[in-house]
Amino acid sequence: MGQKDFFDEGDLVAVLTTQPLDRLLDYRAPEGGCHLGAFVEVPLGPRKVPGVVWAEGRGDFDLSRIRSVIRVLDVAPMREEMQQFLERAAAYTLTPMPAMLRLATRAPGLGDPPSMRKVYRPGDTTPERMTDARRRVLEALDEYGGLSFTLKELSDAAGVTPSVVKGLVKIGAVREEDTPRDMPFPMLDEGYARKALTEDQAAAAEKLRAGVQSGGYGTTLLRGVTGSGKTEVYLEAVAECLALRRQALVLLPEIALSAEFIARVEERFGAKPVEWHSGVTMTERRRAWKMVGQGGAQLVVGARSALFLPFLDLGLIVVDEEHDTSYKQEDGVLYNARDMAVLRASICGAQVVLASATPSLESWTNAEAGKYEKLELTSRFGESVLPDMRALDMRGVDLPSNRWISPRLKTAVEIRIQQGEQALLFLNRRGYAPVTICRACGHQIGCDHCDARMVEHRFLKRLVCHQCGETKPMPETCPSCEAEDRLAAVGPGVERLSEEAAELFPEARIATLSSDLFGSARALKARITEIAEGGADIIIGTQLVAKGHNFPLLTLVGVIDADLGLQGSDLRAAERTFQLMRQVSGRAGRADKPGEALLQTYQPEHPVIRAILAGDEQAFWRAEAEERRHAGVPPFGRMAGIILSSTDMQEAFDAGGFLAREDAPLRQIGAQVFGPAPAPVARIRGRHRVRLLVKAPKGVALQQAVAKWVAQVKGSTNLRLTVDIDPQSFY
Ligand code: ADP
Ligand code: ZN
């Protein structure tokens, strides 16, 4: 770009800060100068704020008033490709740059001097009184030469208590030193424990290796049923990447997944990868962020935000379970990590592997069109086969009220338990009951801030709004008519299903897995491991269990309500249901025991249910693609969602009406606007929400047009406008 990459003291530099300003700010480079991309602290009004030296200063500001950068932080400067990535991601998602920079600096205390910890090395004196324990400590220090130990490492290596080491420190035979905690991570060994691959695994691995060796960009869709060895195969691509001394990133949809995954990586490469997700401590987060930037971290396993880490030389990104909806961030910066992975890789010359048993229609279409390479693993590893899937037609079943487990499902569960196997009852609804109704007046208890019904969580003994998180105690009288003892739970959630299961199977050990039942991700992980090892007979769970956990003893999956996802107006409803049902069913029979999946449904003829049962994925995708092509919706057209919200309903509607009329920028690209309409959830946290939907042909400059279009809105500060490019959900 012909851009200067070092600035001498006093030179003008343009700094991007994390403050919500719509432009770069000019400063003077500090004493000692600074690099392009340097992380700095700058004065802004009375405050000091963090920022990045983004470009040469433009000097379009009163030069006498320009202040100096306060200091350059002790971290590697942001690389130019990272700047490019953030700029292009911002342009794609119509996100202001300061918000992008916040995403890219999500580690605390980057500017702090590294925190210290004590390490131990050989000292200069020999103890007068030499005990056996003392000798072992000195030998351990000696044996490992210059390596320094932490107290625990040293006492463990010597087989002594820490007090022995401390005693040696006192007499100077061992030296205690402070060193920075941000140490490089242990090295992974790509050849540590290779597995013998099956023929088609080996062929797929070879293709992925070749991609990594090319050193350039490419995306591959790796498709294969659960258990076919996709993980095994992409770990070979990781191995190749490590051998080339480039860094690799594996994205996983749910942090609960990583316990099992981390152990697998360690088995394969002899050391743990770097973890990046909300369960990681702040100190480790900072260490990870810094080491990724300095090359002291080779493989990162993380949640979607790991994509914004400052990799030194990223050669491979794996997006596991690429269809998973949690890759789309629905708060703050609205981005889809799968798409951003492809963008980042195309900028830095990396390979992307999208792995899934049930790819998204977007990826399937890209692969069919030849934009992505396609690899398939057809058979499951070892003896196991896909479970036998059957519908349980609920139309003729006479269930007592407040019962959801049909007699046939009950019998099937009993058989499994008798054989010492596990059964999963799947219901994608958190809480006890989705609706609480007053039997006297018919009032349904809703959230005070949202247009949503409150969900009873008996475990928490409260009503919870799943939109805004508001909770209140379960009232004793109806809030509307004040009748006593007439409030009734309607419909099942997992907690209520557990109650039913406890009555039906009094002898069984029942485990309920729902994200809200666990205080922390760690607690959840621990529980999952325990269950996988046989700590329960019946697992009751929400979609949390559909995501790749390996339960080797699980042989029966009962889907309580297979029709649940088919309701609603979401254009991806069919796709989601198909994927979810396939994934859940895929939990059964992974080891050497054949599995069975039973789907309770009131619409056994529904095309989606039939496609699930037939296991005919290609037919499902083709039919679904045809419908979407016909409707001109993604991936055959583009969409953008606009949400206008305000505490004043009229203001939100007025702004929506204004946008609908002033649609010239959209018409120029042949796009149409629908709405304004109240959003499906018309009020969240007391803010009224109005939605518009833009539909555009594929291949037009949608973002520019939308940016121009929404810039026309001039509302009060109370009015908020959010643009969601490629919306995934329509609430
Ligand atoms: P997927 O990612 O497609 O669900 P995995 O890679 O997790 O499949 O494989 C499923 C199970 O089979 C795992 O326990 C894995 O260790 C095992 N497995 C798969 N391929 C092999 C192989 N070639 N050698 C040994 N074990 C394998
Ligand atoms: Zn609410």
Side-chain angles (χ1 to χ4, degrees), residues 642-654:
I642 310 292
I643 293 267
L644 289 153
S645 74
S646 170
T647 48
D648 176 0
M649 179 164 26
Q650 197 54 46
E651 182 182 35
F653 267 98
D654 287 349

Side-chain angles (χ1 to χ4, degrees), residues 26 141 247 453 483 668:
D26 273 2
L141 281 174
Q247 292 164 304
R453 291 183 295 212
Q668 272 167 18

Side-chain angles (χ1 to χ4, degrees), residues 204-246:
E206 191 43 46
K207 286 251 174 65
L208 293 184
R209 279 177 179 280
V212 172
Q213 280 159 6
S214 79
Y217 162 74
T219 296
T220 305
L221 177 61
L222 176 61
R223 225 171 64 90
V225 294
T226 313
S228 58
K230 294 183 295 300
T231 311
E232 227 51 74
V233 167
Y234 72 63
L235 286 180
E236 290 311 298
V238 170
E240 188 63 40
C241 192
L242 297 177
L244 294 171
R245 299 287 169 260
R246 297 186 79 188

Side-chain angles (χ1 to χ4, degrees), residues 68 122 171 206 239 304 347 379 389 485 623 670 693:
S68 277
I171 58 172
E206 191 43 46
R304 59 183 176 223
I347 293 172
S379 50
M389 283 187 264
D485 296 327
L693 190 64

Side-chain angles (χ1 to χ4, degrees), residues 195-198 201 224-234 260 264 267 320-321 377 381-382 548 550 587 590:
K195 272 197 183 138
L197 298 182
T198 65
Q201 287 175 349
V225 294
T226 313
S228 58
K230 294 183 295 300
T231 311
E232 227 51 74
V233 167
Y234 72 63
E260 192 185 329
R264 258 178 100 166
E267 256 170 54
D320 201 353
E321 312 276 350
L377 297 176
F381 178 74
N550 204 347
R587 294 300 116 222
R590 281 182 56 124

